[in-house]
Amino acid sequence: MIENSIPVTVRILDKEYRVACNQGEEDSLIAAARLVDQKMREIRSSGKVLGTDRIAVMASLNLAHDLLEKQTQKDSVNTGINTRLRTMQQKIDAVLSKENQLDL
């Protein structure tokens, strides 16, 4: 086991897994396991995917897709914010430049 880690048991699709977890991160691990379990159950209940391995791969792909979409949205928002900040900085610089010219 990793130093400062503790064993945490999680349940996914009615199967228990013992996972090493950093102290203080147990709740996050349990929440992640619940999300994986929920996604796997959704896929299993659709009846389109058979076999635990295939269900796990599909759940992983779905979760990775969701994560990448959120990162893309975040990057887009950050780009917009950065553009607005640059525009504001240019306006401030222009006003300060005019002020400096008037002082001369």
Side-chain angles (χ1 to χ4, degrees):
M1 273 218 205
I2 301 169
E3 218 174 289
N4 295 326
S5 67
I6 57 171
V8 175
T9 302
V10 296
R11 193 170 187 83
I12 300 173
L13 278 188
D14 303 322
K15 196 170 184 183
E16 287 190 354
Y17 298 89
R18 192 176 177 132
V19 182
C21 177
N22 290 330
Q23 287 184 327
E25 295 182 1
E26 302 92 342
D27 291 341
S28 294
L29 173 62
I30 291 168
R34 282 188 190 129
L35 179 60
V36 169
D37 182 62
Q38 176 188 352
K39 287 288 185 185
M40 288 180 69
R41 287 179 185 282
E42 287 172 8
I43 291 166
R44 184 177 67 180
S45 69
S46 76
K48 295 179 183 176
V49 180
L50 299 176
T52 305
D53 291 348
R54 289 178 183 258
I55 291 170
V57 168
M58 291 304 299
S60 298
L61 288 171
N62 286 336
L63 291 167
H65 174 74
D66 292 346
L67 175 63
L68 291 173
E69 266 189 354
K70 289 193 184 336
Q71 286 176 340
T72 300
Q73 289 172 356
K74 179 183 170 191
D75 291 345
S76 177
V77 167
N78 286 341
T79 299
I81 289 171
N82 288 337
T83 300
R84 290 178 63 194
L85 286 172
R86 268 193 304 278
T87 302
M88 290 170 63
Q89 185 65 49
Q90 289 169 350
K91 289 178 180 179
I92 291 168
D93 289 344
V95 168
L96 290 175
S97 177
K98 285 182 184 178
E99 288 286 324
N100 286 339
Q101 288 175 0
L102 291 175
D103 289 342
L104 297 176

